[in-house]
Amino acid sequence: MSNTYLEPGDWKPGEIISDTRRGIYMVSYTEWNINDTRYSGRYGILEGYLIENGELKHPVKGFVEVDTPELWGNVDAVGRDLQLFVGTCGKGNPSQGIPVTMGGPTFRSRGLRVVT
Amino acid sequence: MILKILAGRVDEAAVVKTRLLHYMVRFANDEVTAFKHWAAESTFIYVAKSRKTAAVAVTGPPSLEKVEEAVKRLATAPEDPLYVPIGGPSPATRHESPEDFEKLPDLVKTAVDAASGVERSAGVVHLTHASVSYEDTAGRSGAYSVNRVYMAMRSFLGDLSATSAAAGRRIGDIDAARLGRENAHLLDLARGLPQVRVEPARADLLLSPLVFAHLIGEAAGNWASGSEVLAGTSRYTKEDIGREVASRLLTVADAAHDPGAYGHTPFDLEGVPPRPVEIYRGGQLAGLLHTRRTAHALGMEPTGHAMHHYARPWPGHIRIAPGDGPADLEELLRDLRRGYYIHNNWYTRFQNVKTGQFSTVGRDVALEVRDGKPVAVVKYIRIADTLENLVNNVAQLSREARQIYWWDMPTPAHSPHAIVKNIGITT
């Protein structure tokens, strides 16, 4: 596990939302899983809101299912709000964990598949 | 010593000391790359006073500070609604000597030699000699030591891979050659097939013992646990016992009492020997797993399943009864007719434990099956459904069950292959 994160951009987070006609603002995710080549991921929406015409609407639940190249290749807006959090990277055989940081700025990725 | 320190300061106390001696052989590119051993000690201390309870778990030998911490917690703890006095028969004492760890590398050579036609193999052989002692202020005491060994091997052919695993109580229980043969067989079936992706759909699945036991283990742990029933987070209630809640083909029992099972545990954290507990019997919910606390709260009998935590029962080893289906993989594919064979999985995650909504990621080769034959290798398949559909839609079980464990399984198991109908898949 490397401590990689997205380089901050120029957008204010609110600008990304107001610039989005229809989408989901995913504040935090949960219960993600991914295959062992780290290619095909699924991320549950822990806290998320519908965006319509640049405004936040009601909370939504569901899952983003996306291939890693699509997730990062479709990024067109990156916020300046870099935040890092304390986390643990776990491994098996035998089970173990090491402290890492995780996080990054708010970003927008276009055209991802969201399922319920 | 700890009980003496606590004497007079608490009404009751129990101390469980565990020493795990690990021996691990790792191998890659068909050769042993590491052979190491290490010891891990832990101590669990339970105290009770005036129906208040507290517990601390300590890595390594307990310090006086940790013992004091347990007592201090009592001062601010509320009365424990699940309190039950320490009691019951004294646990037995039985020891077995450690297996000969020098034999572990032989398993690697045997498995690698049997994996003919693959490019390379990697994996692990892990032997644990667990020594556990229990004593409490009611005068109960006991001690045991057991061996547990498992082997997991992943073989590669180009960008394809296959994993097999085996588990047992003795090194001699591990049929290493079988691991090699199974990997070679699956990779041979997949060799040369086109690689495809799937669209989200519902499909019939053939699940290997690794996958089926993994998911049934999750159902057993999350739904048959007395603490989850009490908390309302289980799919089941006590009143569901005797009701049909799963496929009639499904019979699942906890086998922690069985000396032949990898997960054999002579007694649990409360000093109670595990009973054989049927969880599903012919599709009916047959029983729940309990600690003394959860059993008392639900008006049932303790089953000795304070395996990892005194507050949450968990299976020690599940045994899924085989059916009358074929044992051979290609015959099972013929019986599946149309669907997908999922050979291995990891990253099982729940979106809702009570409904059992989960997803798990396929690992290694997955096969698309048409007219009973593999026609393609599926990349990036994921099962995304509910455990309820899984246990209800079991349509066939093979007549042979394997004893298996590897690090990503929630519980070691004996499990057959299973055909499960109409299950959600995504990519």
Side-chain angles (χ1 to χ4, degrees), chain B residues 116 118 157 183-193:
Chain B
S116 60
V118 311
L157 183 65
N183 283 357
H185 184 205
L186 180 60
L187 290 174
D188 190 52
L189 285 176
R191 183 197 307 262
L193 292 177

Side-chain angles (χ1 to χ4, degrees), chain A residues 92-94, chain B residues 23-28 34 36 38 104 107-108 121-127 149-154 164-166 174 179 405-407:
Chain A
N93 256 354
Chain B
Y23 298 93
M24 178 180 276
V25 176
R26 305 184 73 90
F27 58 105
K36 51 186 161 184
W38 69 97
L104 298 179
L107 296 179
V108 175
S121 297
V124 63
V125 189
H126 191 165
L127 166 67
V149 59
Y150 80 86
M151 179 174 189
M153 183 169 90
R154 192 178 200 190
S164 292
I174 306 299
L179 270 63
Y405 183 67
W406 75 306
W407 67 269

Side-chain angles (χ1 to χ4, degrees), chain A residues 25 29 36 57 80 90 99 113-114 116:
Chain A
Y25 174 43
Y29 67 90
D36 55 1
K57 300 293 184 181
R80 59 180 70 161
R113 184 172 74 232
V114 179
T116 55

Side-chain angles (χ1 to χ4, degrees), chain B residues 114-321:
Chain B
S116 60
V118 311
E119 290 175 356
R120 63 191 190 283
S121 297
V124 63
V125 189
H126 191 165
L127 166 67
T128 305
H129 185 255
S131 300
V132 179
S133 67
Y134 175 95
E135 61 176 337
D136 65 31
T137 48
R140 302 160 68 234
S141 66
Y144 71 82
S145 55
V146 295
N147 291 281
R148 300 182 180 116
V149 59
Y150 80 86
M151 179 174 189
M153 183 169 90
R154 192 178 200 190
S155 301
F156 296 86
L157 183 65
D159 62 350
L160 304 175
S161 65
T163 296
S164 292
R169 291 261 291 107
R170 303 285 186 178
I171 294 173
D173 294 338
I174 306 299
D175 185 351
R178 182 172 192 162
L179 270 63
R181 287 195 303 271
E182 286 180 352
N183 283 357
H185 184 205
L186 180 60
L187 290 174
D188 190 52
L189 285 176
R191 183 197 307 262
L193 292 177
Q195 297 194 5
V196 300
R197 295 193 70 168
V198 294
E199 292 297 319
R202 304 196 69 79
D204 297 345
L205 306 179
L206 170 62
L207 304 180
S208 78
L210 280 176
V211 181
F212 191 56
H214 184 126
L215 298 176
I216 294 297
E218 294 284 7
N222 288 300
W223 284 356
S225 174
S227 62
E228 307 316 289
V229 170
L230 275 170
T233 52
S234 167
R235 179 70 184 83
Y236 306 136
T237 65
K238 178 184 170 186
E239 287 68 37
D240 286 325
I241 294 174
R243 291 180 182 155
E244 191 165 310
V245 295
S247 162
R248 293 182 179 182
L249 298 180
L250 196 61
T251 292
V252 179
D254 182 88
H257 67 285
D258 179 355
Y262 175 92
H264 173 54
T265 306
F267 56 78
D268 71 356
L269 286 174
E270 294 180 315
V272 178
R275 295 182 180 189
V277 177
E278 274 195 310
I279 297 169
Y280 297 106
R281 184 192 308 129
Q284 290 184 346
L285 182 66
L288 303 175
L289 304 172
H290 284 299
T291 64
R292 297 183 73 249
R293 296 157 54 84
T294 64
H296 183 258
L298 284 168
M300 301 173 79
E301 290 296 315
T303 65
H305 285 88
M307 290 290 168
H308 311 297
H309 199 285
Y310 81 111
R312 183 174 187 182
W314 193 261
H317 185 111
I318 58 166
R319 185 184 290 275
I320 305 169

